[in-house]
Amino acid sequence: MNKIIITLVILATQWLSAQNVSLTVNVSGFKTNDGKLKVGLYNGEGTFLRETFLSLDSKISDLKATVVFKDLPKGEYAISLYHDENDSGVLEKGMFGIPKEPFACSNNAKGKMGPPKYNDAKFTIDSNKEILIELGR
């Protein structure tokens, strides 16, 4: 009986993990290889640019960087990222909260008189996906 239960648990775990997907984020447009890339993944409009669902960072090499989010539930997401040029762990901001370090969002969404909107940055994942984001200022 224990063998049957263990087998069912293993099969259920494999089935559930097969329902998850990975997201590869390739970033280009760096001016230097200094610092790190910081990437935030958001899973809803209410948390966008406030509280990440997941976050990763990456070294920069040849003016490019890549992060991979694994085992994501299928669904709707958005990304914001920045080049932490001085490796402080914080997006440096100037007057009126305008970022001093290069930043970008998924779909290369741009803000108008403020930060980009979730609806402009959101995308859906229903299978493994790879996206490219061009870093801006």
Side-chain angles (χ1 to χ4, degrees):
M1 182 67 161
N2 284 343
K3 288 182 182 181
I4 293 173
I5 292 172
I6 291 171
T7 302
L8 289 174
V9 168
I10 290 171
L11 289 174
T13 302
Q14 289 175 344
W15 181 80
L16 288 173
S17 67
Q19 300 302 308
N20 291 338
V21 296
S22 67
L23 171 64
T24 302
V25 182
N26 296 304
V27 183
S28 63
F30 292 93
K31 304 282 189 257
T32 71
N33 291 321
D34 298 334
K36 285 184 183 169
L37 171 66
K38 305 290 254 179
V39 182
L41 181 67
Y42 303 87
N43 62 352
E45 185 172 9
T47 59
F48 185 58
L49 301 179
R50 290 179 178 82
E51 184 179 334
T52 59
F53 171 63
L54 293 170
S55 60
L56 294 172
D57 58 37
S58 174
K59 290 182 179 183
I60 301 158
S61 179
D62 297 326
L63 305 179
K64 298 176 189 171
T66 299
V67 298
V68 180
F69 292 96
K70 296 180 181 180
D71 294 325
L72 292 175
K74 295 175 183 178
E76 187 177 271
Y77 296 94
I79 290 175
S80 73
L81 55 83
Y82 71 97
H83 180 185
D84 188 6
E85 295 173 316
N86 59 4
D87 209 5
S88 68
V90 177
L91 175 61
E92 306 295 330
K93 295 180 183 177
M95 191 179 261
F96 306 112
I98 298 171
K100 289 182 172 182
E101 295 176 302
F103 66 95
C105 288
S106 44
N107 298 330
N108 292 310
K110 306 281 185 221
K112 295 175 186 155
M113 300 301 286
K117 304 291 184 222
Y118 177 78
N119 285 334
D120 295 331
K122 71 180 180 179
F123 56 91
T124 302
I125 302 175
D126 56 12
S127 62
N128 292 342
K129 187 171 189 140
E130 187 170 335
I131 62 173
L132 173 63
I133 299 177
E134 180 74 25
L135 197 59
R137 253 243 190 247

